C-alpha cells in the first residue's frame, strides 16, 4: 500500500488533502471538503495572498460542484478571478445545497448523516461550521430535516425529500457550456485563454470531456454531458470527426451550437458546416472576446455572469 502524502488543502486551508503527482506547473489535490482539483502555479500564488475566508469558501463550493458533476477542475488565474467575483449564493440555494449533499450517497430513506463532515461546508458555500448548523436549523424549522441528538447526526424528513424533488423538477438553466475540440497539446493555450476565458466571461462554466473523471464509456459520457449543457462550442481546427458528431448531436437536441475554427483551417471546413456563421480566430485573446459576445447575444448572459464593475 502506497503512503498517502497529506498537506493542507491549497483552497480551504482547514483540511488535510492528498497531494497527487502532477505533470504540470501546479498542484493537484484531493480534499475531503473541496473534492479533487488542479491548481495552476500562477493561480496558486494569487490564492495564497487571499486571506478572506468567504472568498475561499466560494472557491471551495465551486470546486465541489465541479467535482460532484464528475469534473476535475483546472483552476487557472482566469478561473480564479471569475469565481471569486461571483455574487454570493442565496440562503435558499445554500440550504438546498445542504439537502442535496445529504442525500448524495445516503442509504435507504430515513438513514442518518452528520453535518459536521467537511463536505457540507463546501456544499453550502459556508465559511464556518456555525453557518452549516444555522442552515440545518432553518431546514429543521421548515420540516425538511431533523436533528438526532447533539452530535450533528441528522435525518431528511419526508418534506425534505419532497423539497428535493421540487428543486429538481424546476430544473434551472444549466450553467455548463460543452466544448468539442481537438485535444492536441498545442491547443491547450487556446483552450485556457480562449474558449475557457470566453465562456466564463459570458457567465457559464466550460467543460471539456478529457478533463472529466468518470467510469462510463466515453461516448456515453459525452452524450450525458452534452445533454446537461446549455450550449455547445464546436471548434473545427484539425477537423476531428468527433467534433462533427458532437455538433450534429447537439443540433438534433435543439441546443445552440457556436461554430469556431482557426483561420488557417477554415478553407478545409466540410461544406455542410460552411453555411453557419463561424468565428474564425487567430489568437486566444481574439477568440475569447468574440466567443463571449456571440454566446451572450444568442444564449444570453449566464447564471454566473459578473459585472466588470463588481470586481473588488
Amino acid at each position: 500500500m502506497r503512503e498517502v502524502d497529506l498537506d493542507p488543502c491549497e483552497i480551504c486551508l482547514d483540511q488535510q488533502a492528498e497531494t497527487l503527482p502532477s505533470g504540470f506547473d501546479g498542484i493537484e489535490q484531493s480534499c475531503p471538503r473541496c473534492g479533487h482539483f488542479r491548481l495552476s502555479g500562477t493561480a496558486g500564488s494569487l490564492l495564497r495572498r487571499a486571506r478572506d475566508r468567504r472568498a475561499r469558501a466560494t472557491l471551495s463550493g465551486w470546486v465541489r460542484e465541479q467535482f460532484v458533476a464528475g469534473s476535475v477542475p483546472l483552476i487557472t488565474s482566469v478561473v480564479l478571478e471569475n469565481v471569486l467575483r461571483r455574487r454570493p449564493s442565496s440562503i435558499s440555494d445554500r440550504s438546498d445545497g445542504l439537502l442535496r449533499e445529504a442525500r448524495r450517497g445516503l442509504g435507504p430513506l430515513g438513514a442518518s448523516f452528520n453535518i459536521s463532515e467537511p463536505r457540507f461546508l463546501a456544499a453550502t458555500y459556508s465559511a464556518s461550521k456555525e453557518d452549516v448548523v444555522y442552515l440545518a436549523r432553518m431546514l429543521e424549522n421548515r420540516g425538511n430535516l431533523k436533528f438526532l441528538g447533539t452530535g450533528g447526526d441528522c435525518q431528511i424528513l419526508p418534506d425534505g425529500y419532497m423539497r428535493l424533488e421540487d428543486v429538481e423538477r424546476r430544473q434551472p438553466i444549466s450553467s455548463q457550456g460543452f466544448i468539442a475540440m481537438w485535444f492536441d497539446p498545442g491547443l491547450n493555450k487556446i483552450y485556457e485563454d480562449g474558449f475557457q476565458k470566453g465562456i466564463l466571461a459570458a457567465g457559464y462554466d466550460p467543460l471539456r470531456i478529457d478533463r472529466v473523471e468518470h467510469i462510463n464509456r466515453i461516448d456515453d459520457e459525452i452524450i450525458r454531458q452534452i445533454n446537461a449543457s446549455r450550449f455547445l462550442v464546436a471548434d473545427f481546427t484539425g477537423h476531428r470527426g468527433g467534433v462533427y458528431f458532437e455538433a450534429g448531436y447537439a443540433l438534433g437536441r435543439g441546443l445552440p451550437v457556436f461554430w469556431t475554427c482557426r483561420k488557417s483551417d477554415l478553407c478545409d471546413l466540410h461544406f455542410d458546416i460552411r453555411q453557419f456563421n463561424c468565428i474564425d480566430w487567430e489568437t486566444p485573446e481574439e477568440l475569447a472576446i468574440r466567443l463571449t459576445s456571440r454566446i451572450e447575444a444568442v444564449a444570453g448572459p449566464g447564471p454566473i455572469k459578473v459585472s466588470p464593475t463588481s470586481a473588488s
Side-chain angles (χ1 to χ4, degrees):
M1 181 181 297
R2 71 179 179 88
E3 292 186 11
V4 176
D5 187 9
L6 294 179
D7 298 290
C9 174
E10 291 282 336
I11 292 178
C12 66
L13 298 180
D14 63 13
Q15 296 295 316
Q16 290 295 301
E18 181 181 359
T19 300
L20 305 166
S22 176
F24 76 112
D25 178 24
I27 189 169
E28 184 168 352
Q29 290 187 315
S30 182
C31 170
R33 171 175 171 173
C34 308
H36 191 171
F37 63 89
R38 300 168 72 207
L39 181 70
S40 76
T42 303
S45 297
L46 293 171
L47 185 59
R48 290 181 197 105
R49 302 174 199 164
R51 297 299 175 185
D52 183 355
R53 294 180 67 197
R54 286 289 172 192
R56 287 183 175 272
T58 297
L59 183 60
S60 176
W62 180 82
V63 168
R64 184 152 194 94
E65 281 188 6
Q66 306 305 302
F67 172 68
V68 167
S71 176
V72 177
L74 171 60
I75 306 162
T76 64
S77 56
V78 171
V79 172
L80 179 64
E81 178 186 5
N82 278 273
V83 172
L84 295 186
R85 289 168 55 199
R86 291 181 176 184
R87 290 184 293 271
S89 298
S90 68
I91 297 298
S92 178
D93 286 344
R94 292 173 66 191
S95 62
D96 287 340
L98 192 154
L99 279 178
R100 285 196 298 269
E101 188 64 38
R103 189 181 60 176
R104 188 170 294 113
L106 203 60
L109 295 175
S112 64
F113 62 93
N114 196 293
I115 61 168
S116 64
E117 293 179 33
R119 61 192 176 105
F120 287 102
L121 282 162
T124 59
Y125 283 77
S126 294
S128 68
K129 292 180 180 178
E130 289 75 18
D131 281 0
V132 179
V133 172
Y134 189 87
L135 292 168
R137 291 296 182 189
M138 283 179 53
L139 291 169
E140 184 178 46
N141 291 338
R142 290 195 330 216
N144 296 156
L145 181 149
K146 176 183 178 182
F147 275 85
L148 305 174
T150 58
D153 286 335
C154 297
Q155 180 186 61
I156 300 177
L157 296 177
D159 279 354
Y161 284 107
M162 298 298 290
R163 169 66 183 174
L164 284 167
E165 288 187 359
D166 182 58
V167 169
E168 291 173 354
R169 194 161 43 239
R170 285 189 276 116
Q171 292 183 334
I173 293 176
S174 172
S175 65
Q176 181 169 293
F178 187 97
I179 304 167
M181 64 178 294
W182 185 16
F183 301 145
D184 181 81
L187 292 176
N188 283 344
K189 183 172 177 59
I190 297 297
Y191 169 73
E192 292 163 8
D193 295 341
F195 293 108
Q196 181 174 254
K197 187 173 182 178
I199 291 173
L200 282 166
Y204 297 90
D205 285 316
L207 182 136
R208 207 173 87 165
I209 197 64
D210 65 324
R211 302 192 178 191
V212 173
E213 295 291 337
H214 63 89
I215 57 172
N216 302 323
R217 283 178 30 172
I218 184 62
D219 52 347
D220 290 341
E221 185 64 18
I222 288 171
I223 295 302
R224 187 181 78 84
Q225 293 292 352
I226 293 175
N227 288 344
S229 298
R230 175 69 177 87
F231 57 81
L232 182 140
V233 175
D235 185 71
F236 294 95
T237 304
H239 306 289
R240 314 305 290 178
V243 176
Y244 283 91
F245 166 78
E246 290 155 26
Y249 177 79
L251 280 177
R253 291 281 299 173
L255 294 180
V257 175
F258 299 98
W259 315 86
T260 70
C261 186
R262 186 166 54 197
K263 189 168 289 188
S264 59
D265 288 32
L266 201 61
C267 60
D268 294 323
L269 272 180
H270 192 278
F271 70 91
D272 286 339
I273 303 300
R274 292 177 187 172
Q275 61 184 303
F276 294 103
N277 187 13
C278 188
I279 296 174
D280 53 338
W281 54 266
E282 292 184 293
T283 67
E285 294 78 16
E286 173 195 12
L287 171 60
I289 292 170
R290 295 181 63 190
L291 186 58
T292 298
S293 178
R294 185 73 56 87
I295 291 171
E296 290 183 344
V298 175
I304 52 177
K305 176 70 175 175
V306 179
S307 170
T309 58
S310 67
S312 57

